Amino acid sequence: MKIRVKRYIAIILAIAMIISLSSNINYPVFAFEENDTPVSEDKSQSENTKDEADGEDDTEEEDESGEESKEKEEKEKKNEASDDDEETRSENTFGFTKKTIEAELCKDSDYEPLTEDMDEYAGEKNTRIVLKGVMPENAYAKAYPVEVAIDEKRVIAAYDISIFYINENEEEIVFQPADTDECDNIKVEIRNDAISEAIGNNGELSVYHAESEYATQDEFEKITEERMSEGSDKGISFEAESFSVYAIIDDSPALRTYEFYTLSDNEYQPYYFEMENGEMVCRQVIKEGDVLIVPQLPSYQTRTFAGWYIYDAENDSYSEEALDFNDIPEVTVTETVILRAVFENYVYAIFHEQFNGASSSWPVIEIRRAAVDAEGKGTIKISDVYATYNDSGDESVTTKLFKGWSFTNNGAEGNLDEIIEDDEIIIEENTDLYPVFDSVNWLSFQSGPVGSGATYIPAKYYYSSDYATYSDLAVPVRKGYEFLGWYTAEEDGTMVADAGLGIVNGIDEDGIRTENGKIILSEDITLYAHWAVSDTKYTVIIWKESIGDKVVKNGNSYAVESVNYDFAKSLTFEANTGSVKSVDDLYTYISMTNSLTDYGDYRYFYYSGAEGDGTDGSDGAITVASDGSSVINIYYRRYFAVYEMYDVKN
């Protein structure tokens, strides 16, 4: 390019010189360098210009090939340098700059942006995470809340924070300040409602760092932090050389502030009440283990105080039940709870006891209330309230029992036709309820003699208008006996229900009659179980004299020094319950003399004696017990022989 410019300049100068010579007029001549700046030449210089221009043509042409070669060489060097720069840029196409960015708050590790329609948004709507420092020009940050546990410390906020940039391949790359020399630590500022409240309560805040939300407690490291308390913009800041999980801990005890409000001119105003020290307050601050003092009960117009209810200002709603001051929830987080005094219009149900003749009154058992609805009606449950009848006589026998409630007072007997059948009543005004008692008859059951082991069946009562059916009866159990049915007497008597509890119809005796499978009582009745004996097991145990017993000489005779017995066999037999069995009855089964039987080898034994329960004065007899516990023990002695050896002398 330079060669061509010079050639054009030479031609222009030559033409200008010719014109100047032919006209004898002096003109200034301008030459343009590479920067296009005009340079003036005087007349003496112009006189030699033509000759120089004539010779320059040849010189320029000679140098052209050399200049082009030089230009090509320089271009190649330039390209090589450019390639080196390109290689460097491929590793890092951005520059570093000092900047401030705010992290985009996400739902979780999938980095789905946190939006107002998400449940998690409510707790993070005032969260701001700001990063300040030297970082890539196109850097941006994302963060999402995590749950971590650190040595039982109270974590009030925790986030996984990351910085990203886009490389030349349009890939998202994680950036860590510690990985480059261009960057120092980056300052992180975190603000949210929990941190702000903790700072406002002078909480003991600290920051912990770990590489992952799944890190163990030992892997969390405490770092230096600073508070930011400029006006209402409270937060915590720290410097970070790597970005992952940061948790903010409040080591101070959690505090719960209860604020009390009551109605005044149809608006809720702070409710001031007197503490034990005489101080007037409208709030109480407690930590775990503290007692919440119950304020003096407020009042409002003609309405009745219903209790202190937790008020949710955001949703303009109340808790379902009033706060129980004896059961305060654990204080695990620092928070403020608003309690509003709720007043209701109520209707009351007054439950009365049995009429008291001495005082001519109806004493009150219980009073229940119900808030009235828009129609002025209240609903009260009555089915779980009972009254007890007292006949001022033999209190061990109940002759009347509570049957229900009535709106009318008809004396101690009540009015059976006016008993309220529903579990609840709906009333519009205060209402008195009176007990209704009805005569009852008891149906008792005697399963067997005391100590016989027969099943106990509890007595049942029936109102005068009620009756018993087979489902009210039960089959008793008695070992060694077979149940025959229920009768009106302990012996003989009339069968009321058979062994299968089928009710016998047509009975009409004093206090009891049966019809259509019903037992109708007109007085207290006892039914008796009848039994038939059945076979019951009893046990025979055979003992044989021990082979180790020692035989000794006693004068001119021999005898066993001490008799011992070893268990030989246990045999089981059956007989009617209550029957008497003796050893004599066993002769058909066990031979008492030398014999070999199915029950053992007795060829070298003889019967020695037996033990039973002493029935009929016989040691070897028993009365077969119904529970199968009867036992006869039979003992056998061994025969023994003595051989005397003599030395015969000549």
Side-chain angles (χ1 to χ4, degrees):
M1 182 69 184
K2 290 181 179 180
I3 296 173
R4 293 177 179 175
V5 170
K6 290 179 178 179
R7 183 180 297 168
Y8 294 149
I9 293 173
I11 294 172
I12 293 172
L13 290 174
I15 295 172
M17 188 175 291
I18 294 171
I19 295 172
S20 177
L21 291 173
S22 61
S23 59
N24 294 324
I25 300 174
N26 295 327
Y27 292 96
V29 179
F30 296 92
F32 294 91
E33 301 294 338
E34 287 182 283
N35 58 4
D36 293 336
T37 301
V39 180
S40 177
E41 293 185 346
D42 57 22
K43 183 176 179 181
S44 60
Q45 291 175 327
S46 65
E47 291 178 350
N48 300 322
T49 300
K50 184 177 182 300
D51 294 333
E52 291 175 0
D54 291 338
E56 190 175 11
D57 287 342
D58 296 335
T59 303
E60 292 294 340
E61 289 180 6
E62 290 176 1
D63 295 338
E64 183 175 0
S65 59
E67 289 289 343
E68 289 179 352
S69 176
K70 186 176 180 180
E71 184 178 0
K72 183 177 181 182
E73 183 178 349
E74 291 177 355
K75 186 175 183 180
E76 289 176 354
K77 290 181 179 180
K78 208 172 200 181
N79 289 338
E80 290 177 3
S82 177
D83 291 340
D84 293 338
D85 292 342
E86 186 67 27
E87 184 176 350
T88 302
R89 283 193 297 272
S90 66
E91 296 178 356
N92 189 3
T93 59
F94 54 79
F96 289 94
T97 184
K98 187 174 183 180
K99 60 187 303 183
T100 298
I101 59 176
E102 182 171 346
E104 178 184 12
L105 202 60
C106 301
K107 178 182 177 182
D108 49 35
S109 58
D110 292 333
Y111 292 114
E112 179 183 1
L114 194 61
T115 56
E116 294 184 10
D117 58 345
M118 296 181 181
D119 295 337
E120 297 85 350
Y121 178 80
E124 302 292 346
K125 67 178 182 179
N126 293 323
T127 298
R128 289 189 62 206
I129 301 176
V130 176
L131 287 69
K132 299 178 180 180
V134 177
M135 61 188 81
E137 294 175 341
N138 61 359
Y140 56 95
K142 296 180 181 180
Y144 59 90
V146 295
E147 293 185 3
V148 298
I150 307 174
D151 293 331
E152 299 181 355
K153 295 182 182 294
R154 190 158 57 93
V155 180
I156 61 174
Y159 300 95
D160 191 312
I161 307 171
S162 297
I163 300 176
F164 301 92
Y165 69 91
I166 303 298
N167 68 5
E168 74 285 353
N169 295 323
E170 297 186 355
E171 297 172 331
E172 186 177 61
I173 307 298
V174 176
F175 172 74
Q176 295 288 8
D179 293 343
T180 178
D181 296 333
E182 286 83 351
C183 299
D184 295 326
N185 293 346
I186 292 179
K187 184 177 182 181
V188 180
E189 298 177 353
I190 301 179
R191 297 173 175 84
N192 65 19
D193 293 341
I195 297 173
S196 178
E197 185 173 2
I199 293 175
N201 293 326
N202 295 318
E204 300 175 8
L205 301 186
S206 56
V207 177
Y208 284 76
H209 173 243
E211 295 301 324
S212 166
E213 62 182 291
Y214 307 107
T216 63
Q217 294 183 358
D218 294 338
E219 293 174 327
F220 274 92
E221 178 184 4
K222 185 176 181 180
I223 63 176
T224 303
E225 83 290 336
E226 295 180 359
R227 296 189 183 189
M228 301 178 295
S229 304
E230 300 176 1
S232 60
D233 190 16
K234 298 180 177 66
I236 197 163
S237 68
F238 53 89
E239 294 203 356
E241 64 177 7
S242 64
F243 283 85
S244 46
V245 173
Y246 287 91
I248 293 88
I249 309 299
D250 188 356
D251 290 325
S252 58
L255 299 176
R256 181 181 295 144
T257 301
Y258 286 95
E259 296 183 352
F260 296 84
Y261 294 84
T262 189
L263 279 173
S264 177
D265 296 330
N266 289 325
E267 291 184 357
Y268 275 99
Q269 303 290 338
Y271 176 66
Y272 285 87
F273 54 93
E274 186 176 1
M275 300 292 284
E276 292 182 356
N277 59 5
E279 181 183 5
M280 299 298 293
V281 300
C282 64
R283 63 174 58 86
Q284 294 183 55
V285 180
I286 66 171
K287 61 181 182 297
E288 179 59 27
D290 289 349
V291 176
L292 184 63
I293 305 300
V294 182
Q296 293 83 13
L297 297 184
S299 60
Y300 184 67
Q301 297 177 357
T302 60
R303 298 160 69 182
T304 304
F305 174 68
W308 293 102
Y309 284 75
I310 298 175
Y311 176 67
D312 182 353
E314 184 174 351
N315 298 310
D316 191 23
S317 61
Y318 292 83
S319 57
E320 293 184 0
E321 297 181 356
L323 178 68
D324 183 355
F325 283 76
N326 295 318
D327 188 19
I328 298 299
E330 292 184 7
V331 182
T332 58
V333 297
T334 297
E335 61 182 349
T336 298
V337 176
I338 298 175
L339 292 177
R340 282 188 172 184
V342 174
F343 301 89
E344 297 282 2
N345 288 324
Y346 288 102
V347 287
Y348 293 84
I350 300 96
F351 297 85
H352 293 277
E353 291 183 357
Q354 176 186 352
F355 180 76
N356 188 322
S359 62
S360 298
S361 64
W362 293 84
V364 176
I365 299 175
E366 184 177 340
I367 298 176
R368 289 187 174 182
R369 71 182 185 185
V372 299
D373 57 19
E375 298 178 357
K377 299 179 180 179
T379 302
I380 296 177
K381 185 176 181 178
I382 65 171
S383 60
D384 58 347
V385 184
Y386 304 91
T388 302
Y389 181 79
N390 181 6
D391 60 4
S392 299
D394 184 1
E395 296 183 359
S396 63
V397 179
T398 302
T399 59
K400 295 181 186 297
L401 289 175
F402 173 76
K403 187 143 189 200
W405 295 101
S406 171
F407 291 116
T408 61
N409 169 12
N410 289 314
E413 295 297 328
N415 188 338
L416 297 181
D417 295 333
E418 296 183 1
I419 290 179
I420 303 170
E421 300 293 341
D422 298 324
D423 292 339
E424 299 176 336
I425 59 173
I426 299 175
I427 55 179
E428 300 181 19
E429 59 184 359
N430 296 343
T431 302
D432 291 288
L433 296 174
Y434 300 92
V436 176
F437 299 98
D438 191 10
S439 298
V440 294
N441 298 305
W442 289 87
L443 181 60
S444 302
F445 303 90
Q446 184 172 316
S447 301
V450 176
S452 64
T455 306
Y456 169 74
I457 299 177
K460 298 181 179 181
Y461 67 84
Y462 298 88
Y463 291 110
S464 59
S465 58
D466 292 341
Y467 52 82
T469 64
Y470 78 93
S471 62
D472 296 309
L473 308 178
V475 175
V477 176
R478 184 182 177 191
K479 290 183 178 180
Y481 294 87
E482 179 184 355
F483 176 65
L484 299 179
W486 292 106
Y487 288 73
T488 57
E490 188 172 1
E491 295 182 4
D492 299 329
T494 303
M495 177 186 285
V496 177
D498 59 26
L501 303 182
I503 294 176
V504 180
N505 292 318
I507 298 174
D508 190 359
E509 299 183 5
D510 291 343
I512 184 171
R513 62 187 179 88
T514 60
E515 61 180 30
N516 299 324
K518 303 174 183 177
I519 301 175
I520 303 168
L521 305 177
S522 57
E523 61 183 55
D524 295 343
I525 293 294
T526 299
L527 295 180
Y528 300 86
H530 282 201
W531 303 95
V533 295
S534 60
D535 287 343
T536 304
K537 289 181 170 52
Y538 67 96
T539 304
V540 174
I541 300 177
I542 298 175
W543 302 86
K544 290 182 177 181
E545 184 182 350
S546 175
I547 195 171
D549 286 354
K550 184 178 180 180
V551 178
V552 296
K553 188 175 183 179
N554 184 10
N556 294 326
S557 63
Y558 292 88
V560 176
E561 183 179 33
S562 177
V563 179
N564 297 286
Y565 292 94
D566 295 330
F567 171 79
K569 201 169 189 66
S570 177
L571 307 173
T572 301
F573 300 94
E574 288 188 354
N576 285 340
T577 301
S579 64
V580 177
K581 304 299 294 183
S582 66
V583 174
D584 293 339
D585 298 324
L586 303 178
Y587 279 137
T588 57
Y589 301 101
I590 303 174
S591 173
M592 300 303 174
T593 60
N594 299 333
S595 63
L596 184 65
T597 71
D598 292 338
Y599 301 107
D601 187 353
Y602 299 90
R603 290 176 294 177
Y604 307 106
F605 295 85
Y606 63 93
Y607 173 72
S608 173
E611 293 178 352
D613 59 7
T615 301
D616 296 335
S618 172
D619 290 340
I622 58 169
T623 298
V624 179
S626 62
D627 60 0
S629 62
S630 300
V631 176
I632 298 178
N633 292 285
I634 301 178
Y635 299 93
Y636 287 88
R637 294 285 304 275
R638 289 179 181 275
Y639 289 108
F640 67 88
V642 177
Y643 295 90
E644 293 185 352
M645 309 298 292
Y646 297 93
D647 183 11
V648 180
K649 297 182 179 180
N650 294 331

